[in-house]
């Protein structure tokens, strides 16, 4: 399977990419963030409808940027789970229609395998074994990757995802959506030690995460300060919150390194675009003498290149066997 057209619509980004092996020839992302911003979060039905409008032009742009056309593609890959069901269905139906009309095989991809497989993309691909910290708006987990195409979960969040916590915090602070980048910008002006945030899960020796207590602590701080003082101290609140989220992610990553014999770490998911997380992970990995693979921002947040990368390790399904294939929310 040489050339793959990959499609990703699991959340609020409409994405298509063309790959040749580990090389992305094109990678188009049409973000719906501004559309959802006025609601303060992603509205699933709005996302599905927008995917419908964007999917064909986004695929056309990915093919055009690749310098080829549908004829030059050997297989169609698509995210089938997990995600917003209506959003996933747009990508899956489109992929099935294109594959069936051209009699090409279809490759079903798991979104989380995609975030891990972003590490396999050129340039500077990382080969297993490695430990991956995937932190996004929907997931937060430590994945033990021993061979490409699979991983074992060493720890995961017991409640909110890290990105979800940042999005909720940004909303509490009136900073807009998506919250991660907004918190990062605001935090740049603030003191990370101004507000004591609870250090979640620090006493339990495991590798699971928890972010809901942090969100509650911020809600209480905002309530106690009142609207005006919250506005005045917003940078300090953002910096303290960001530092607590990143602190927990890095503490668990360190603990996972202690528990195993890893010599490489990859960060993935939208939160891996966070500057403080990248800096702290760099310090940790330097300290331990472990290689750290950081992705460019556009491969941290949702994209189809990572789906095409994961597709290389999944079996292609021949026409017409995939016509019954369904999307799944989880
Ligand atoms: O991977 P992604 O694009 O979508 C999901 O699969 O969820 O991740 C989106 C999440 C959002 O919660 C967003 O606030 C967060 O990633 N994010 C960031 C940054 N950029 C995006 N969080 C912290 N710092 C950033 N710079
Ligand atoms: Zn994602």
């Amino acid at each position: 399977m040489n050339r793959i057209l990959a499609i990703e619509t699991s959340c609020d980004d409409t994405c298509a990419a063309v790959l040749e092996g580990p090389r992305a020839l094109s990678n188009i992302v049409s973000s719906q963030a501004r559309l959802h911003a006025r609601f303060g979060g992603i509205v699933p039905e709005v996302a599905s409808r927008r995917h419908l409008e964007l999917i064909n032009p986004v695929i056309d742009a990915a093919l055009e940027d690749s310098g080829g056309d549908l004829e030059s593609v050997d297989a169609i890959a698509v995210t089938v789970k997990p995600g917003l069901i209506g959003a996933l269905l747009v990508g899956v139906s489109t992929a099935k229609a294109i594959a069936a009309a051209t009699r090409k095989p279809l490759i079903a991809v798991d979104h989380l395998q995609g975030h891990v497989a972003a590490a396999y993309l050129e340039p500077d691909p990382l080969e297993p074994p490695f430990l991956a910290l995937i932190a996004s708006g929907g997931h937060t987990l430590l994945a033990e990757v021993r061979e490409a195409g699979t991983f074992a979960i060493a720890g995961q969040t017991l409640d909110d995802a890290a990105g979800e916590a940042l999005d909720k915090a940004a909303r509490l602070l009136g900073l807009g959506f998506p919250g991660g980048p907004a918190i990062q910008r605001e935090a740049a002006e603030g003191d990370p030690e101004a507000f004591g945030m609870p250090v979640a899960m620090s006493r339990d020796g495991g590798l699971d995460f928890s972010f809901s207590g942090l969100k509650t602590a911020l809600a209480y701080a905002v309530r106690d300060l009142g609207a005006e003082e919250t506005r005045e101290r917003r940078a300090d609140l953002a910096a303290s919150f960001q530092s607590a989220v990143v602190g927990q992610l890095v503490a668990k990553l360190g603990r996972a390194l202690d528990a195993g014999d890893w010599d490489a770490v990859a960060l993935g998911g939208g939160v891996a675009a966070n500057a403080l997380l990248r800096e702290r992970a760099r310090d940790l990995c330097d300290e331990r003498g472990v290689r750290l693979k950081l992705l460019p921002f556009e491969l941290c947040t949702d994209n189809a290149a990572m789906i095409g990368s994961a597709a290389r390790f999944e079996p292609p399904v021949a026409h017409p066997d995939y016509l019954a294939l369904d999307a799944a929310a989880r």
Side-chain angles (χ1 to χ4, degrees):
M1 239 12 95
N2 209 3
R3 216 175 252 217
I4 294 177
L5 166 66
I7 297 170
E8 148 67 44
T9 63
S10 67
C11 194
D12 67 332
D13 294 314
T14 316
C15 319
V18 177
L19 287 95
E20 208 161 68
R23 204 157 59 91
L25 303 179
S26 63
N27 189 23
I28 305 288
V29 178
S30 183
S31 169
Q32 302 180 10
R34 289 180 64 180
L35 176 68
H36 296 279
R38 70 185 132 124
F39 304 111
I42 297 161
V43 183
E45 188 55 27
V46 172
S48 316
R49 285 166 193 267
R50 191 73 181 129
H51 280 309
L52 267 179
E53 291 166 1
L54 291 170
I55 189 75
N56 285 334
V58 164
I59 290 172
D60 286 346
L63 288 168
E64 194 184 323
D65 274 15
S66 76
D69 54 17
L70 212 43
E71 283 309 300
S72 57
V73 165
D74 301 303
I76 318 295
V78 65
T79 307
V80 295
K81 71 176 175 95
L84 302 170
I85 190 69
L88 284 163
L89 274 172
V90 176
V92 171
S93 313
T94 306
K96 284 203 285 193
I98 294 174
T102 54
R103 295 294 192 266
K104 292 182 199 289
L106 190 95
I107 307 173
V109 178
D110 178 297
H111 183 81
L112 286 173
Q113 296 285 358
H115 275 301
V116 172
Y120 307 142
L121 288 165
E122 300 271 9
D124 194 27
L126 182 65
E127 301 277 329
F130 60 86
L131 186 66
L133 171 65
I134 306 297
S136 72
H139 302 272
T140 299
L141 60 114
L142 279 161
E144 299 178 347
V145 189
R146 295 210 159 78
E147 60 180 305
T150 106
F151 62 75
I153 296 179
Q156 60 190 321
T157 184
L158 302 175
D159 41 57
D160 292 350
E164 183 183 2
L166 289 162
D167 291 338
K168 286 176 176 169
R171 198 169 169 170
L172 272 170
L173 297 176
L175 287 171
F177 176 85
I183 293 267
Q184 177 174 319
R185 270 192 305 276
E186 188 73 20
E189 311 294 321
D191 171 5
E193 281 166 20
F195 291 89
M197 294 283 160
V199 185
M201 314 296 287
S202 60
R203 275 187 300 276
D204 112 288
L207 296 175
D208 288 333
F209 302 87
S210 169
F211 296 99
S212 68
L214 270 181
K215 180 189 62 191
T216 308
L218 181 69
Y220 284 147
V222 164
R223 185 197 61 188
D224 295 346
L225 288 170
E228 195 175 326
E229 214 177 326
T230 292
R231 237 184 340 268
E232 278 164 19
R233 310 273 326 260
R234 197 152 72 172
D236 287 344
L237 287 162
S240 302
F241 192 84
Q242 175 182 251
S243 164
V245 169
V246 168
Q248 190 186 153
L249 291 171
V250 174
K252 292 296 159 88
L253 181 58
R255 200 175 278 178
L257 285 174
D258 289 341
D261 185 21
W262 302 99
D263 44 34
V265 164
L267 300 188
V271 180
N274 183 268
L276 183 66
L277 175 59
R278 291 164 86 96
E279 187 187 314
R280 291 277 175 80
R282 163 71 61 215
D283 292 345
L284 175 76
C285 290
D286 283 353
E287 210 179 278
R288 307 288 174 97
V290 167
R291 177 181 171 193
L292 175 66
K293 164 84 176 158
L294 291 175
L295 297 165
F297 298 153
E298 68 274 15
L299 294 178
C300 292
T301 47
D302 288 348
N303 66 87
M306 70 183 196
I307 301 304
S309 180
R312 295 173 57 219
F313 308 99
E314 297 294 333
V317 182
H319 179 270
D321 297 357
Y322 50 75
L323 292 177
L325 182 80
D326 237 338
R330 36 180 72 239

